[in-house]
Structure formats: C-alpha cells, structure tokens
C-alpha cells in the first residue's frame, strides 16, 4: 500500500465511472432523487482533484450540512453559534438531537481525523489504509449500499449525500409540523 502524495492526483487511481456509481447509489432507499442530484454535483466538484483538495472540500461540505442540520433542530438557533463549535462536538450533538444515526458518528469522526492529518502535518499523505479505515467506519448497511466501492471520492459523496438527504427530511418534517 503506497501512500498517495497529498499535492498530486493519485497516480494509480482507476478512472471512476460516476454514472455507474450513481446508478448503484440510486438503488439505495436512504437517498432521494434530490440527494442523488446533490451527490452528483458534489462528485463533479471533487472529480480530478488531488487527495488534499478532495478531503478539504468534502470536510467543508459535510460540516456545512451538519451545521444546517443542527441549526434546523434547535429551539432557539440564534442562542448558540453552531459554526463556532468544533467538528468533534458537532457530531455527537447531531446524534443527540437525533438528526444523524448513532452509527454515522464514526465515519464523520474518521473524515475529521483525515482532514486534521492533512491540515496539521505538512508532509502528511492519505494512504490506502486510511481510505479503507474510513470505509470500514461505516455501518454494514452503508458499506453494502456503496457496493463495496472504496474509491475515496465515492465514499465521501455517499457520506455527503446521506447528510444532505437527512437535512431534506428534517426540513420536510418541520414544514409539515408547521402546517
């Protein structure tokens, strides 16, 4: 397992067939058509990026969606600045609020660990073992929904799509409650 260079595209990375990936992903009942479209846009955003950019961009998108999820569920959202909380605190808060499944904390924390590794170590690289650890951090049903695809971009798109889907479900439930 050769580590990837953080500043260059992974040279040994196979070409990902994003259409095939989305066809498989569309069979996952946890993702709506809107989630899939959002995931497709996310995949386009990170396609061809080097590993550093992929991890940083994915973390930014995931954290933004996590912020929105938490804020949507707070009784007085302006009473606390969710943005100022550390990612490490946002994940269990989201689980405690019931806006993410309990078993989704591990993949989010693993993504954060990868981001921290790259952000705080100048010579850090993401290895195949790191990507495998991220993949293995998901619950079995999530790994099956990803069809065993261990491509970093696809794992991150799946994670982001699940969070975005949950945000849509929370907003829909909130709108129905307000009727």
């Amino acid at each position: 397992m050769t580590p990837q260079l953080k500043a260059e595209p992974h040279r040994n990375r196979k070409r990902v067939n994003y259409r095939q990936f989305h066809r498989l992903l569309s069979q996952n009942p946890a993702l709506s058509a809107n989630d899939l479209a959002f995931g497709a846009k996310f995949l386009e955003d990170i396609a061809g990026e080097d590993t550093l950019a992929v991890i940083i961009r994915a973390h930014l998108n995931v954290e933004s969606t996590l912020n929105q999820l938490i804020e949507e569920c707070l009784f007085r959202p302006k009473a606390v600045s969710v943005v100022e909380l550390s990612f490490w605190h946002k994940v269990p808060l989201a689980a405690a609020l019931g806006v993410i499944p309990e078993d989704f904390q591990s993949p989010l924390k693993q993504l954060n660990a990868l981001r921290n590794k790259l952000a705080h170590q100048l010579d850090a690289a993401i290895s195949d073992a790191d990507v495998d650890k991220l993949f293995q951090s998901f619950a079995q049903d999530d790994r099956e929904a990803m069809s065993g695809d261990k491509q970093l971009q696809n794992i991150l798109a799946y994670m982001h799509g699940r969070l975005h889907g949950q945000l849509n479900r929370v907003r829909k439930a909130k709108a129905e409650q307000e009727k």
Side-chain angles (χ1 to χ4, degrees):
M1 291 186 192
T2 310
Q4 299 175 14
L5 297 175
K6 68 174 181 173
E8 298 177 15
H10 185 175
R11 291 186 177 124
N12 298 324
R13 180 175 53 196
K14 66 179 181 180
R15 297 289 297 160
V16 176
N17 182 337
Y18 293 112
R19 286 185 183 171
Q20 172 70 6
F21 175 71
H22 279 289
R23 187 187 63 72
L24 292 171
L25 200 56
S26 68
Q27 297 169 3
N28 180 355
L31 298 176
S32 70
N34 188 34
D35 302 337
L36 292 169
F38 197 76
K41 165 108 177 61
F42 178 75
L43 271 174
E44 286 176 25
D45 289 348
I46 63 174
E49 297 270 13
D50 64 43
T51 305
L52 172 64
V54 167
I55 294 291
I56 299 298
R57 188 179 303 272
H59 192 279
L60 287 168
N61 280 278
V62 163
E63 186 166 18
S64 175
T65 304
L66 194 58
N67 290 346
Q68 292 172 57
L69 264 169
I70 293 168
E71 288 170 356
E72 291 282 336
C73 295
L74 294 176
F75 183 70
R76 291 189 184 101
K78 293 184 181 195
V80 64
S81 177
V82 175
V83 175
E84 292 178 10
L85 296 174
S86 72
F87 190 85
W88 194 255
H89 290 100
K90 291 174 190 177
V91 172
L93 176 58
L97 289 169
V99 296
I100 64 167
E102 194 71 30
D103 62 9
F104 211 67
Q105 289 186 80
S106 183
L108 291 170
K109 288 180 177 179
Q110 193 60 39
L111 171 61
N112 194 53
L114 291 176
R115 190 214 61 97
N116 287 344
K117 179 179 178 178
L118 292 173
H120 299 294
Q121 299 173 24
L122 191 56
D123 60 346
I126 301 299
S127 67
D128 291 339
D130 291 326
V131 175
D132 187 58
K133 188 173 180 180
L134 175 62
F135 181 79
Q136 294 302 327
S137 70
F138 284 90
Q140 180 66 33
D141 59 331
D142 285 318
R143 292 193 308 266
E144 288 172 6
M146 287 185 266
S147 302
D149 188 340
K150 294 185 182 180
Q151 289 293 310
L152 179 61
Q153 284 89 342
N154 292 343
I155 294 169
L156 296 172
Y158 178 84
M159 178 186 290
H160 190 245
R162 282 283 313 268
L163 282 176
H164 181 72
Q166 186 61 16
L167 178 60
N168 286 336
R169 285 185 285 283
V170 165
R171 286 178 173 164
K172 184 178 179 181
K174 195 173 179 180
E176 288 175 7
Q177 219 175 30
E178 291 173 356
K179 285 182 182 180

